[in-house]
Structure formats: structure tokens, C-alpha cells
Amino acid sequence: MDLVNGSQEAPQESLDTDMESFFETAPPLRDGLDISRKLGEFIELNSPPTGERIVCVTSGGTTVPLEQRCVRYIDNFSSGHRGAASTEYFLKAGYAVIFLHRRGTCQPYCRSLPEDSLLECFELTEESSVQGVFNVKCDIEKHLNSHLSQAVEQGLLLKLPFTTIFEYLQILRMVATSMKSLGSRGMFYLAAAVSDFYVPWESMVEHKIQSASGPLDMRLAQVPKMLSMLRKEWAPMAFCISFKLETDSNILLKKADMALRKYKMHMVVANELLSRKEEVTVVTSSGRITVRRDKNEADADVENPLIKLLEERHSTYIQESNTTN
Ligand code: PAZ
């Protein structure tokens, strides 16, 4: 696979053209109208006087199909745990949440459920009884009902799934342009692991790539940088937090600083793959803050103190925006 990694920065005009061509050539969303309707209703319901703040949490990795009738694809690592946990804490903090997530990844309030199929948990032993199994089932149902369905039914949680980079970026654009009207009350918390490279739809083969023709030689184009577009056009007043993941801790903070400046983010959350559940560093224009999980508390998440910090900073941002406007 010939991975073309152009390290030179593209000029603005070429970025705009790349962006236009990405959207023009992407396969249209099958449920675009339905998403648009749901978004409109959700934002109206959660706008004053009934609602206050809305955050769009992105979660999970995007896939890059290699064939139009996709059999093979490239994937970005993300279990979706960060996004699911953060959604729970945002809801607790009083936000309405648009959860833009990769299909099949971790869901809010379901993080503690076993990975194995539920049926396996219900395996009967000599000691256990059908009544015991029934109780476990009821406990799980109670747990899910009390949180997840409540949030959905009360109109505080809108779940929008994606799989490919094409779906992700088209839905993100729809969410962002719909949230523009919220001004500074809107927030973007971009924890999804988004591919940097992709195969443009029109240059993708239709059918399954055959192995008989020898080694695979494929050119990947760069995914246009959507963060700039989000800040400049889609929702310029929204409070924007992006994530930076690295496996080499020596370059992590430098890369996060660069992202903060280049894409004019309000905050960048830097995390290293192996320690991401223990600590993150929040990079802002006024300094860096290390946020750690409380190790003295059983099952404590790093997302708990992280969302508290973001909520405070968002409040200050809203106040400042109100006084300047
Ligand atoms: O989803 P998860 O909990 O397994 O991991 C979260 C994460 C590392 C994907 C996220 O914190 C993150 O850094 N997202 C951005 C990744 C990137 O730099 O593209």
C-alpha cells in the first residue's frame, strides 16, 4: 500500500477545494432527511426557554472503505469508552447531548455491562436458579431504564450512528450547521478517532479487490481538515474541544499545542494510548492542566473531573461572549 504522507501544509484555497470535493463526491447519507428532522426537533426542544446547553460528543473510530461494495476497510482505534463516559457526565452536568458514535462501540450507561453475550452471563450452575438469572436481568433492565431510556425519552440524548469517514463528516457538518444558532451555548467535544487518509469514492474500485493480481498498490488522499471549517463556518461561536492521541509521549504536548493554534480550538485534550484512562492533559492558550482519575475511589473515571473542568470553562466562555456581544 502506497501511503502518501504529504507533510507540507496545503494553502487555504486548496483546503477549501478539497473539502468541497470531499462532500460532492461522498456517497449521500441514506437517512439524511431523518437525521436532519431529528436534529431540528432536538435542538428546538433543548433551546431556551426549555433547554440551555447542547454538546455534540463524537465517539469511536471512522472506517475508510477500500471498495465501494465494501469487504475491506482501514479502521482507527477507539473503543468509544471516552465518548460514552463523557456523555454520562455531560448529562449529569445538565447538558443535552448529541452522541455521534461509531456503530457497535461503547454506549452511555452500558459501559459496565459484560462484553460477552448476555446469554453467557445467564449460564445456570447448580447453585444458581432461574429466579437468580431473572433477578440479574431485572437489575440490568432497571439500570438501563433508569438512565439511558430516561435521557432519550426526556429528549436529552440524541444518538446518531456512523461507520465510515464519509458518514461521519457529513453528519458532523449537519450537526454543526444546525447548532450554529445556539452560539456560545453549543459545545463540540471531538473524541472520535478520525482517519487522516481515505480513498476518494470516485477513485475506489466497485468490487472486492482480487489478490490474484499481486501486491496491493493503493494511493490514499488526505482527509480535508474539518476542524478549521467547524470553527470558521459551520458553528463559529461554539466552544470547541478536540482530542490529540499519540503513542509517543515525547511529541504529544507539542502536537496538542500545534492543534490548538492551527485549528483555533478552545481546548485540546492530549492523551497517550496506554495511560488514556488514568490521565489527560488539557492544553489551553493560558496553560496546561493535568486531569487524573481519583484512584482512591472505586470505578472512578478520568472523564468525571474532565467534564467538570470543561463545564466551568464553558460557563466562563458563555459569560464572556454575552458581555462582548
Ligand atoms: O475510545 P477510547 O476510550 O478507547 O479512546 C479514546 C481516544 C483515545 C480515541 C480519544 O481520547 C482520542 O484521543 N480521540 C482522538 C484521537 C485522534 O487523535 O485522532
Side-chain angles (χ1 to χ4, degrees), residues 77-82 191-194 243-245 271 276:
F77 166 78
S78 167
S79 66
H81 186 275
R82 171 89 73 224
V194 182
F243 277 72
K244 177 54 72 186
L245 172 70
N271 57 169
R276 70 190 191 284

Side-chain angles (χ1 to χ4, degrees), residues 81-92:
H81 186 275
R82 171 89 73 224
S86 305
T87 294
E88 293 173 23
Y89 291 109
F90 274 122
L91 285 165
K92 200 171 164 195

Side-chain angles (χ1 to χ4, degrees), residues 16-121:
D16 291 347
T17 326
D18 291 349
M19 195 101 54
E20 268 167 37
S21 102
F22 179 92
F23 286 115
E24 271 166 20
T25 58
L29 294 170
R30 256 180 279 150
D31 46 357
L33 285 175
D34 192 40
I35 297 175
S36 164
R37 181 188 53 77
K38 283 183 181 156
L39 270 171
E41 288 171 6
F42 187 82
I43 289 169
E44 198 184 325
L45 183 69
N46 290 292
S47 293
T50 40
E52 265 304 311
R53 302 175 190 192
I54 303 182
V55 58
C56 170
V57 173
T58 71
S59 181
T62 59
T63 67
V64 168
L66 301 186
E67 299 122 343
Q68 289 184 351
R69 300 191 190 196
C70 182
V71 174
R72 300 190 185 89
Y73 56 86
I74 302 172
D75 207 348
N76 261 54
F77 166 78
S78 167
S79 66
H81 186 275
R82 171 89 73 224
S86 305
T87 294
E88 293 173 23
Y89 291 109
F90 274 122
L91 285 165
K92 200 171 164 195
Y95 282 79
V97 182
I98 298 171
F99 182 58
L100 178 53
H101 64 281
R102 163 80 177 272
R103 278 184 191 85
T105 54
C106 215
Q107 295 295 298
Y109 305 114
C110 301
R111 293 182 287 136
S112 52
L113 293 183
E115 277 181 22
D116 293 332
S117 99
L118 280 180
L119 285 178
E120 280 174 45
C121 319

Side-chain angles (χ1 to χ4, degrees), residues 73-173:
Y73 56 86
I74 302 172
D75 207 348
N76 261 54
F77 166 78
S78 167
S79 66
H81 186 275
R82 171 89 73 224
S86 305
T87 294
E88 293 173 23
Y89 291 109
F90 274 122
L91 285 165
K92 200 171 164 195
Y95 282 79
V97 182
I98 298 171
F99 182 58
L100 178 53
H101 64 281
R102 163 80 177 272
R103 278 184 191 85
T105 54
C106 215
Q107 295 295 298
Y109 305 114
C110 301
R111 293 182 287 136
S112 52
L113 293 183
E115 277 181 22
D116 293 332
S117 99
L118 280 180
L119 285 178
E120 280 174 45
C121 319
F122 294 159
E123 195 182 316
L124 288 178
T125 62
E126 273 175 34
E127 297 81 48
S128 68
S129 63
V130 175
Q131 185 57 46
V133 170
F134 183 71
N135 289 345
V136 173
K137 186 173 170 289
C138 288
D139 282 351
I140 294 174
E141 274 176 3
K142 229 189 289 169
H143 175 79
L144 293 183
N145 279 336
S146 61
H147 295 290
L148 181 60
S149 47
Q150 251 184 45
V152 176
E153 273 161 24
Q154 289 172 1
L156 293 170
L157 175 61
L158 176 63
K159 300 214 279 177
L160 299 176
F162 66 84
T163 302
T164 67
I165 181 77
F166 300 111
E167 288 175 322
Y168 173 78
L169 287 177
Q170 289 183 85
I171 304 176
L172 181 66
R173 181 174 64 165

